[in-house]
């Protein structure tokens, strides 16, 4: 347990120092290519696509988890402490979220609206060609706030419970959902990974919401954060992503909007004015959750020796 606590801290340190190297050999890049190989709906008759989605999800998650399981259960302690932080870091993306959002802001400032639309199109699946400036920023900050759960809290949560294997399986399921969980020709083949991702994020999303409420309470913004959570958390499709989005939108005082789909929060300020506070809220939630997990792991480790 104490070693696991060290791994959590070291993985976040590695993330802040290294970020996500752009390499085709990155574990998640390899995972994505494998999903892209088998997850093509046109290869299968519609009648078996749901079954293919189930089988493909189980196979993909199992294969991706193999090296993580080997390090977790077969590596000597010193090799575990050396490799585990890098493997856990491969399952999360903290610095990358900030970098992608900052790239959108710079593109808008340096290249104008067209550059901003192009840059944010690399973060989100929506059509960005006709977005206005505030909607470009909204798309970027929506991605940041939603992925606080998917890309940070959930991998750490499942590492704390199941070790490297848990973080790896979660990352595989979340990537499957990101690639296949759409209501288009991928609907049948992506149904199972989409539902699995919903279930996996259920508890972490709500823990994140509680942490964010505590953070904004300390800043004197509990009331608007909680009111926006109650009013707007269900506006976004799905029952997880709207929680961190609503709390942060209310706590910071901004409106997050996907035109024609949902509007979350009230525009007390523009996103350009409040962007730094959104990033600080994500950082705070990450640090608070990590410190709580580290403390819990050390406590469990101490109790196991008494």
């Amino acid at each position: 347990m104490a070693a696991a606590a060290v791994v959590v801290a070291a993985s976040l340190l590695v993330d802040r120092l290294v970020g996500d190297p752009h390499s085709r050999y990155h574990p998640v890049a390899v995972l994505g290519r494998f999903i892209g190989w088998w997850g093509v709906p046109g290869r299968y008759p519609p009648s078996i696509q749901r079954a293919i989605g189930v089988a493909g999800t189980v196979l993909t998650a199992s294969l991706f988890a193999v090296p993580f399981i080997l390090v977790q259960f077969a590596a000597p302690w010193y090799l575990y402490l050396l490799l585990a932080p890098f493997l856990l870091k491969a399952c999360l993306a903290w610095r990358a979220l900030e970098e992608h959002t900052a790239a959108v802001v710079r593109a808008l400032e340096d290249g104008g609206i067209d550059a901003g639309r192009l840059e944010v199109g690399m973060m989100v699946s929506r059509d960005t060609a006709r977005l206005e400036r505030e909607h470009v920023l909204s798309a970027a900050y929506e991605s940041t706030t939603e992925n606080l759960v998917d890309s940070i809290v959930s991998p750490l949560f499942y590492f704390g419970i199941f070790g490297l294997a848990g973080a790896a399986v979660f990352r595989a399921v979340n990537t499957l959902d990101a690639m296949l969980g759409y209501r288009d020709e991928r609907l049948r083949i992506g149904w199972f990974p989409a539902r699995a991702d919903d279930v996996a994020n259920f508890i972490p999303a709500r823990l994140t919401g509680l942490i964010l409420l505590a953070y904004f309470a300390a800043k004197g913004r509990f009331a608007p954060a909680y009111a926006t959570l109650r009013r707007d958390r269900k506006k976004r499709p799905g029952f997880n992503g709207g929680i961190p989005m609503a709390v942060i939108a209310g706590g910071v005082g901004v409106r997050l909007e996907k035109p024609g789909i949902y509007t979350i929060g009230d525009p007390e300020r523009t996103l350009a004015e409040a962007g730094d506070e959104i990033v600080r809220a994500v950082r705070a939630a990450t640090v608070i959750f990590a410190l709580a997990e580290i403390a819990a792991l050390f406590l469990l480790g101490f109790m196991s020796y008494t």
Side-chain angles (χ1 to χ4, degrees):
M1 289 296 182
V6 171
V7 170
V8 170
S11 68
L12 292 175
L13 178 61
V14 170
D15 179 272
R16 298 310 295 181
L17 293 175
V18 178
D20 273 333
H22 297 287
S23 170
R24 66 189 309 268
Y25 300 108
H26 189 289
V28 178
V30 175
L31 172 65
R33 288 199 299 275
F34 181 67
I35 297 168
W37 170 69
W38 70 261
V40 180
R43 290 184 175 179
Y44 317 102
S47 60
I48 67 168
Q49 285 180 10
R50 289 182 183 271
I52 292 294
V54 174
T57 297
V58 173
L59 176 63
T60 299
S62 299
L63 290 176
F64 184 69
V66 166
F68 295 80
I69 292 171
L70 289 175
V71 171
Q72 179 175 344
F73 294 107
W77 67 267
Y78 53 86
L79 191 58
Y80 172 83
L81 285 176
L82 177 65
L83 296 178
F86 292 94
L87 289 173
L88 179 56
K89 186 272 160 292
C91 295
L92 57 89
W94 177 16
R95 175 174 160 178
L97 288 182
E98 296 183 12
E99 289 178 338
H100 291 159
T101 303
V104 174
V105 174
R106 285 195 305 270
L108 283 170
E109 292 174 349
D110 299 339
I113 187 65
D114 289 334
R117 290 166 176 166
L118 182 64
E119 190 69 39
V120 81
M122 301 178 187
M123 295 180 66
V124 297
S125 59
R126 72 192 65 173
D127 181 9
T128 63
R130 290 179 293 277
L131 294 181
E132 299 299 327
R133 180 183 179 87
E134 193 73 358
H135 290 150
V136 169
L137 288 172
S138 181
Y141 288 117
E142 286 169 51
S143 179
T144 301
T145 54
E146 176 189 1
N147 280 293
L148 168 60
V149 176
D150 290 2
S151 296
I152 304 174
V153 174
S154 285
L156 292 177
F157 176 80
Y158 285 105
F159 172 78
I161 298 176
F162 302 111
L164 289 173
V169 169
F170 172 79
R171 175 49 53 216
V173 168
N174 186 249
T175 305
L176 282 155
D177 174 54
M179 295 183 66
L180 303 178
Y182 295 90
R183 294 182 177 277
D184 51 21
E185 69 277 1
R186 295 166 288 186
L187 177 63
R188 293 183 182 86
I189 201 169
W191 175 84
F192 181 74
R195 298 293 77 74
D197 183 72
D198 285 342
V199 171
N201 278 312
F202 187 87
I203 294 175
R206 282 145 185 83
L207 289 175
T208 303
L210 290 173
I211 290 170
L212 287 167
L213 286 173
Y215 169 75
F216 284 114
K219 295 177 70 66
R221 293 283 300 179
F222 175 83
Y226 182 64
T228 305
L229 172 67
R230 293 193 63 184
R231 186 190 70 195
D232 294 345
R233 71 185 187 277
K234 295 182 180 180
K235 290 183 177 180
R236 183 195 175 279
F239 47 79
N240 295 318
I243 293 175
M245 291 170 64
V247 178
I248 291 177
V252 173
V254 296
R255 179 171 62 193
L256 300 174
E257 182 177 8
K258 184 176 182 179
I261 306 297
Y262 57 76
T263 299
I264 295 174
D266 299 309
E268 300 174 34
R269 294 185 291 166
T270 68
L271 286 163
E273 294 169 335
D276 288 344
E277 289 194 32
I278 294 173
V279 173
R280 283 196 291 271
V282 171
R283 287 181 181 176
T286 299
V287 172
I288 292 168
F289 183 84
L291 289 175
E293 181 170 22
I294 289 168
L297 289 170
F298 269 122
L299 179 61
L300 290 171
F302 174 78
M303 292 174 62
S304 68
Y305 284 105
T306 59

